[in-house]
Amino acid sequence: MLLAIDCGNTNTVFSIWDGKSFIAHWRTSTEWQRTADQYYVWLSTLMHFQKIHVDIDEVIISSTVPRVVFNLRVFADRYFNARPIVVGKPECALPANPRVDEGTQVGPDRLVNAAGAFDRHGGNLIVVDFGTATTFDVVDDDGAYVGGVIAPGVNLSLEALHNAAAALPHVDITKPQQVVGTNTVACMQSGVFWGYIGLVREICARIKAERGRDMKVISTGGLAPLFQQAEALFDAFEDDLTIHGLTVIHAYNKGLS
């Protein structure tokens, strides 16, 4: 049984994969101080509560926060007697190696998204991930990551407005009823919502023009469905794309694909 761990800047997702489907997903905040023992107490309590009794013997990790990897390695070794596969490390093979500037270190989440998207949709893709940052990953015909774009995340932009301007409140992102706001909250929501609609549309159009071809646009991340309400920006939405990509990379490394 495989435990797939996706550690992002804000949240970490633990998922159990039985080889055909996911048995469970759990989400916790990302904290680099959390020890291996704390991870185990948290996970085992949730498994017991949901009456999930499985033998985990394989672990794969993708982490955009390098400081958490050590404790996750200890966690896997101590409690599951498993040497984890860590995406981005030399010992982790990829179905298709990235083609970027020499010396460039590609974020593990972007490599995993590329693998997951290619497995489900084939090549020639743009993957838009609405996370702490909003990232655009370009996947070539053979599944290789070949570059992309990084923009500030939606909530990060709202937080920056709130922190930098004393008169502006903290607001949640939602689709405004109209473009022109008639109060401060509505003005902020409209600026961020329609601003990101324009950002996604323009960046995807420029990527397609630069590469001289039409490309399928896949979205992932919790806010993707919100933006899809307004415009047909995406050809598909994948809520578990990163975790699925981890199972693809694990299978490749174990010779199962």
Side-chain angles (χ1 to χ4, degrees):
M1 201 73 69
L2 172 67
L3 176 62
I5 304 174
D6 168 31
C7 179
N9 290 297
T10 305
N11 293 312
T12 300
V13 177
F14 289 69
S15 299
I16 296 179
W17 172 256
D18 68 1
K20 296 181 180 179
S21 62
F22 288 106
I23 295 175
H25 299 281
W26 298 286
R27 184 180 298 268
T28 185
S29 58
T30 299
E31 298 176 6
W32 67 265
Q33 304 96 329
R34 189 170 294 170
T35 67
D37 300 330
Q38 288 174 315
Y39 279 119
Y40 181 72
V41 169
W42 172 80
L43 183 62
S44 61
T45 300
L46 289 171
M47 291 175 65
H48 177 76
F49 179 76
Q50 293 185 228
K51 297 180 172 59
I52 297 175
H53 305 291
V54 296
D55 292 325
I56 294 171
D57 55 5
E58 298 281 351
V59 179
I60 185 168
I61 301 167
S62 167
S63 177
T64 59
V65 185
R67 297 179 77 180
V68 307
V69 174
F70 174 78
N71 282 330
L72 287 173
R73 282 182 180 272
V74 174
F75 161 73
D77 180 64
R78 179 177 297 169
Y79 291 103
F80 304 117
N81 194 30
R83 179 180 176 84
I85 297 170
V86 180
V87 179
K89 298 298 182 182
E91 62 270 20
C92 176
L94 298 171
N97 290 322
R99 292 192 286 274
V100 294
D101 292 345
E102 187 175 353
T104 299
Q105 186 172 1
V106 182
D109 55 330
R110 309 185 81 176
L111 299 174
V112 172
N113 281 348
F118 180 74
D119 183 68
R120 286 181 170 171
H121 300 280
N124 203 29
L125 307 173
I126 302 170
V127 181
V128 185
D129 189 346
F130 291 89
T132 304
T134 300
T135 59
F136 299 74
D137 301 325
V138 179
V139 183
D140 213 344
D141 293 331
D142 61 351
Y145 170 87
V146 293
V149 175
I150 301 175
V154 177
N155 289 319
L156 191 63
S157 295
L158 282 169
E159 195 66 29
L161 273 176
H162 170 63
N163 290 335
L168 297 180
H170 176 79
V171 300
D172 293 325
I173 184 64
T174 186
K175 181 184 177 183
Q177 294 182 346
Q178 55 193 33
V179 175
V180 179
T182 54
N183 57 70
T184 301
V185 170
C187 289
M188 292 173 66
Q189 290 175 332
S190 183
V192 172
F193 182 85
W194 293 111
Y196 271 85
I197 290 286
L199 180 145
V200 171
R201 183 190 294 114
E202 182 68 14
I203 288 180
C204 288
R206 287 183 175 273
I207 290 173
K208 293 175 183 178
E210 186 170 282
R211 293 180 63 78
R213 66 187 80 170
D214 192 26
M215 303 174 73
K216 187 179 289 187
V217 182
I218 311 299
S219 69
T220 190
L223 291 177
L226 173 66
F227 290 103
Q228 186 72 357
Q229 291 178 19
E231 304 282 338
L233 294 173
F234 313 116
D235 297 294
F237 166 65
E238 300 283 359
D239 62 346
D240 64 344
L241 183 64
T242 308
I243 286 291
H244 174 68
L246 283 172
T247 68
V248 172
I249 293 174
H250 175 267
Y252 183 78
N253 279 265
K254 296 297 180 178
L256 302 176
S257 62

